Amino acid sequence: MIRLSSNINRQAWVGRHHPVLKQAEPMSPLTVGNGEFAFTVDITGLQSFPESYRVPLGTQSNWGWHSTGGRRKYEQEQLRLKPYDTYGRPVGYAADAAGQEDAFHWLRQNPHRMQLGQIGLVIRLEDGSEAKLEDLQAIDQKLDLWEGIITSRFEAEGLPAVVATCCHPESDQLGISIQSPLLAAGRLAVRIAFPASDVESDEWAESVGLNWNMPNAHHTMIESSEAGSVKWKRSMDDDGCTVTAAWSDGVLRRVSEHEYRIEPEGSPDKLLLTVAFGAEGSDRQIGQSGFHEIEAASRQFWRRFWLEGAAVDLSGSSDPRAVELERRIVLSQYQTAIHCSGSMPPQETGLLYNSWYGKFHLEMHWWHAAHFALWGRTAMLEKSMAWYNWVLPVARELAASQGYEGARWPKMVDPDGRQSPSPIGTLLIWQQPHPIAMAELCYRSHPDDKTLNNYKDIVLESAVFMASFAVWDEASKRYVLGPPVIPAQENHAPEETLNPTFELEYWVYGLELAQRWRERLGLEREPAWDHICAHMAELPVGDGDVYMAHERCPDSFTRFNEDHPSMLGALGILPGKLADRDIMRSTLNKVIAEWKWETAWGWDFPMAAMTAARLGEGNIAVDVLLMDQVKNSYFPNGHNYQRPGLTAYLPGNGGLLTAVAVMACGWEGCTDDRAPGFPKDGTWVVRSEGLSKLI
């Protein structure tokens, strides 16, 4: 029996899932952060043993970026574009590195997100040697999700230490408390070191760690110093930042140009330390609060976060998988809040370490952040939505350069909205309707003139490009998409791809939403958009009455049954105006049975779950959402693992939250208000509150 309730004990619900580690977890470090800044720690609560971890222990922000050799070493205009025949006219794409490798790869790598610094403990053993990770005993580390504080307990040669780590919710400051007799014995110090930022490889996966190999490529200078405090000025090429630290006891000692230590003085057994990071000229606060102020602010923020957002309680379920699903729900809310709720779309690894050089992928923005609106936290989505207005002129320029109207949103971008060259990314289009869909979610939360005015240009100019991109095929009397185009399932040649299933559905969905916005704004409907929606190509159907990847791909389930089964998104992520439910049901069953799921990505599992939910297949929805696959595994810290080098994948977390909202609350037009996407066999008891329906 499925029951709904409005009185979930939030603290008990969250408290069931505090990560507690009794040993070092090299793949699962814990993090504190605020959406703009994050700090990832090892078992000591700081970054003391980074060499023992397989995930980089990072300190990253949304404002800290660096360009090797200067910000204008190469310009986009210097690239030679690869022309693709587009219905009789050549359209250039930055898709070919041949003969221009230096510029091509530099523009992909730059700017890249900086690792701002590393803060760790230096522990001495009785014989004077530095302790290694294996020298620590009695490990007990807990991330208190209710308060956003990590408390780390351990012993070194029988002497205990307790470290508390927290982050200010509104400024990029860390609060650190260290209590241990090791301090009084002179055997514990704090190490603060600054790495280089330069990329060392053309392959991003080879440049994910902190760079300690180029000491001459950057500079660390003490700008001011007095007893108990210091301010460093960091610089590299045209970029830099400031770092300030204040501590309760001890003296600062310079070890090398880029490494300093705070060493105990006298016989204190407690050290309070705050460290603040900031970019010069940034509007982010660069203050210096005390530890107790940061601790109190963290507690207040996180308690409010858990009390004010939505909740899904599965504790009454008899299905043994319910415990794990609820754990993923709670931890995914924490991880997306600290990694995906900032002022720009996040990179796929959030603020842990650099994937794709720290740049963000706009086709993943919906997966990172759409769930915020469904879980009662629309303000967290709106922070990054503002970025589209800021870079709108760049998107207009990209569309115009290719002979299109409106604004074209690229795939892999830097903070200024400039696309990165790529043989794949430049030809993707499924990110284009995302801003329309997310703006609509914001409007559903706040249906007022302010919301309309905030996003009207984003919505309307996105739609103008979409209408401009669709091509009227006179012979078949229909509008088509591509070629050239690369669909969401990226293993298709752009010259051969015609009418990818998901993109066809998304084009109609986006244009129809844009028409609603025109009407809300008091404008006439755009006749051309209505014509496109009424005459869009049908979703391509192959043998066995199943949807194909695209119209020219009859081997969608033989040669191409790997990567993303994106045809499922046409009815699941989307309401499926063009989709036939019976054909989609057959498609879902075939995907479940024949797809190479080991090649799928973290968001593919929730995508399939949403399709199953809309088809009334609650058992399939749960089965696929919790499918036993490596890329659908979630570490003790709540991160979704993909592969070596991509040990955290936030689109999986965000996708899971969206899928659970759909399964527990439903979608627009759904008449079943009793968790329509969960099994009806009595094994699931779903208590939810605060959720909104997906459109």
Side-chain angles (χ1 to χ4, degrees):
M1 178 179 180
I2 295 173
R3 299 195 305 270
L4 301 181
S5 175
S6 60
N7 56 1
I8 295 171
N9 183 329
R10 299 299 185 90
Q11 189 167 4
W13 172 64
V14 172
R16 290 195 288 270
H17 305 292
H18 298 314
V20 177
L21 306 180
K22 298 294 185 179
Q23 62 183 16
E25 297 283 354
M27 298 282 280
S28 188
L30 303 179
T31 304
V32 294
N34 58 28
E36 297 290 338
F37 168 87
F39 180 72
T40 300
V41 304
D42 62 22
I43 207 68
T44 67
L46 295 174
Q47 300 161 331
S48 308
F49 302 104
E51 67 283 352
S52 298
Y53 276 68
R54 294 173 63 186
V55 177
L57 302 181
T59 308
Q60 290 203 324
S61 70
N62 273 337
W63 47 260
W65 296 80
H66 170 239
S67 295
T68 301
R71 298 177 189 173
R72 298 296 180 221
K73 182 175 180 180
Y74 293 100
E75 300 283 0
Q76 295 277 350
E77 293 75 17
Q78 294 176 246
L79 284 180
R80 183 186 67 256
L81 303 181
K82 180 178 180 178
Y84 286 86
D85 178 72
T86 307
Y87 293 89
R89 69 181 185 91
V91 176
Y93 291 83
D96 188 2
Q100 52 182 353
E101 288 83 0
D102 288 348
F104 191 94
H105 291 301
W106 188 92
L107 288 167
R108 276 184 62 77
Q109 297 166 6
N110 293 280
H112 47 264
R113 204 178 299 252
M114 293 190 295
Q115 289 286 8
L116 301 175
Q118 199 167 76
I119 306 168
L121 300 178
V122 179
I123 304 169
R124 296 285 179 185
L125 301 178
E126 287 185 345
D127 64 7
S129 62
E130 282 193 21
K132 299 181 175 60
L133 179 61
E134 54 267 29
D135 293 318
L136 303 187
Q137 305 92 32
I139 290 171
D140 183 6
Q141 185 178 52
K142 175 182 177 181
L143 167 56
D144 189 319
L145 300 165
W146 190 253
E147 299 185 342
I149 298 172
I150 299 172
T151 302
S152 309
R153 293 180 168 85
F154 58 89
E155 293 180 2
E157 295 182 324
L159 296 179
V162 181
V163 179
T165 314
C166 50
C167 177
H168 198 288
E170 296 178 356
S171 61
D172 303 337
Q173 300 182 79
L174 296 170
I176 300 162
S177 168
I178 306 167
Q179 189 162 0
S180 174
L182 290 164
L183 282 166
R187 292 171 51 187
L188 187 152
V190 176
R191 172 181 177 266
I192 302 177
F194 303 103
S197 183
D198 295 83
V199 175
E200 296 185 275
S201 173
D202 289 343
E203 295 295 329
W204 70 261
E206 297 175 6
S207 299
V208 298
L210 279 69
N211 184 343
W212 303 104
N213 302 322
M214 306 174 72
N216 297 325
H218 58 120
H219 303 280
T220 305
M221 180 185 72
I222 292 181
E223 193 169 80
S224 62
S225 177
E226 56 187 56
S229 69
V230 65
K231 180 178 181 180
W232 289 284
K233 182 180 176 65
R234 296 269 296 131
S235 61
M236 53 210 78
D237 297 305
D238 296 335
D239 308 297
C241 66
T242 60
V243 183
T244 60
W247 55 95
S248 57
D249 292 284
V251 295
L252 184 71
R253 183 170 71 86
R254 182 177 184 271
V255 177
S256 66
E257 182 182 358
H258 304 299
E259 180 179 345
Y260 292 79
R261 292 187 185 179
I262 300 171
E263 298 178 338
E265 187 176 43
S267 55
D269 63 359
K270 187 172 185 178
L271 173 65
L272 300 180
L273 170 67
T274 61
V275 184
F277 298 82
E280 293 182 328
S282 169
D283 58 2
R284 289 286 289 172
Q285 177 183 347
I286 307 176
Q288 195 73 52
S289 302
F291 169 79
H292 295 297
E293 292 176 79
I294 297 173
E295 180 186 45
S298 177
R299 285 177 173 153
Q300 182 181 27
F301 171 84
W302 286 104
R303 289 173 183 175
R304 187 174 66 250
F305 173 87
W306 294 113
L307 287 170
E308 293 181 355
V312 175
D313 186 323
L314 305 175
S315 59
S317 303
S318 59
D319 190 311
R321 298 173 295 176
V323 174
E324 173 60 14
L325 180 54
E326 189 184 87
R327 184 187 77 90
R328 295 184 184 189
I329 291 169
V330 171
L331 289 176
S332 291
Q333 288 185 80
Y334 178 81
Q335 294 294 2
T336 54
I338 65 175
H339 290 293
C340 305
S341 67
S343 57
M344 61 180 65
Q347 65 171 320
E348 296 189 29
T349 45
L351 295 167
L352 279 170
Y353 64 88
N354 282 356
S355 53
W356 290 275
Y357 309 106
K359 295 183 181 181
F360 37 90
H361 294 167
L362 292 190
E363 89 281 16
M364 288 293 101
H365 190 198
W366 187 93
W367 291 99
H368 283 286
H371 68 89
F372 287 129
L374 304 181
W375 285 78
R377 301 189 178 100
T378 304
M380 288 188 161
L381 169 60
E382 290 180 312
K383 288 181 184 178
S384 55
M385 284 296 293
W387 177 85
Y388 287 94
N389 273 322
W390 185 57
V391 302
L392 184 58
V394 182
R396 289 189 188 115
E397 290 175 8
L398 176 59
S401 72
Q402 298 175 335
Y404 295 113
E405 299 175 352
R408 181 171 193 170
W409 307 108
K411 178 248 200 291
M412 177 176 165
V413 292
D414 68 14
D416 293 328
R418 294 171 296 187
Q419 73 168 343
S420 301
S422 166
I424 294 175
T426 55
L427 288 139
L428 290 182
I429 61 170
W430 70 289
Q431 68 273 18
Q432 187 65 26
H434 278 348
I436 301 176
M438 291 187 291
E440 181 70 11
L441 289 173
C442 295
Y443 182 79
R444 298 293 175 101
S445 297
H446 308 295
D448 52 34
D449 289 343
K450 179 180 179 182
T451 305
L452 289 175
N453 289 325
N454 279 346
Y455 306 123
K456 66 179 181 181
D457 291 340
I458 295 171
V459 169
L460 298 183
E461 297 211 35
S462 296
V464 168
F465 170 80
M466 292 168 64
S468 179
F469 186 84
V471 175
W472 175 253
D473 178 32
E474 181 62 29
S476 60
K477 304 296 183 183
R478 61 178 185 162
Y479 286 94
V480 298
L481 299 180
V485 67
I486 292 181
Q489 185 191 21
E490 296 178 357
N491 51 1
H492 297 271
E495 304 94 331
E496 300 172 5
T497 301
L498 175 67
N499 292 330
T501 297
F502 174 64
E503 283 79 355
L504 288 175
E505 187 74 54
Y506 211 1
W507 236 243
V508 171
Y509 176 84
L511 288 174
E512 290 190 340
L513 280 184
Q515 293 282 44
R516 292 191 203 178
W517 276 67
R518 288 186 64 87
E519 291 173 336
R520 291 166 185 161
L521 290 162
L523 303 173
E524 296 290 331
R525 292 177 68 88
E526 176 55 61
W529 300 359
D530 281 336
H531 194 264
I532 292 170
C533 292
H535 297 84
M536 184 62 78
E538 295 181 355
L539 305 189
V541 179
D543 292 342
D545 283 339
V546 294
Y547 287 120
M548 299 188 294
H550 64 87
E551 190 171 304
R552 295 175 177 172
C553 191
D555 45 0
S556 295
F557 288 89
T558 53
R559 181 184 170 196
F560 288 99
N561 60 335
E562 58 186 16
D563 195 58
H564 308 299
S566 57
M567 66 284 288
L568 295 180
L571 177 60
I573 299 170
L574 304 174
K577 180 175 180 179
L578 302 181
D580 179 279
R581 293 177 65 85
D582 291 335
I583 295 175
M584 187 59 78
R585 193 181 309 275
S586 298
T587 306
L588 173 65
N589 290 332
K590 194 172 184 66
V591 167
I592 295 295
E594 300 183 14
W595 208 258
K596 296 177 182 177
W597 283 102
E598 68 277 10
T599 70
W601 291 67
W603 56 269
D604 291 320
F605 303 94
M607 176 176 67
M610 285 185 270
T611 301
R614 291 212 195 225
L615 292 171
E617 301 286 356
N619 287 292
I620 293 178
V622 170
D623 288 346
V624 71
L625 189 62
L626 292 170
M627 186 182 291
D628 184 15
Q629 290 288 339
V630 170
K631 289 187 177 181
N632 196 37
S633 56
Y634 285 72
F635 285 144
N637 60 10
H639 276 298
N640 176 209
Y641 175 81
Q642 298 299 287
R643 64 183 188 223
L646 193 55
T647 52
Y649 188 64
L650 274 303
N653 298 92
L656 179 135
L657 291 173
T658 302
V660 170
V662 169
M663 293 164 65
C665 184
W667 48 92
E668 186 180 71
C670 175
T671 57
D672 182 357
D673 63 353
R674 305 189 66 78
F678 279 89
K680 307 290 189 180
D681 58 6
T683 59
W684 288 84
V685 177
V686 182
R687 298 195 301 145
S688 66
E689 58 189 28
L691 293 172
S692 297
K693 295 180 184 296
L694 186 63
I695 304 165

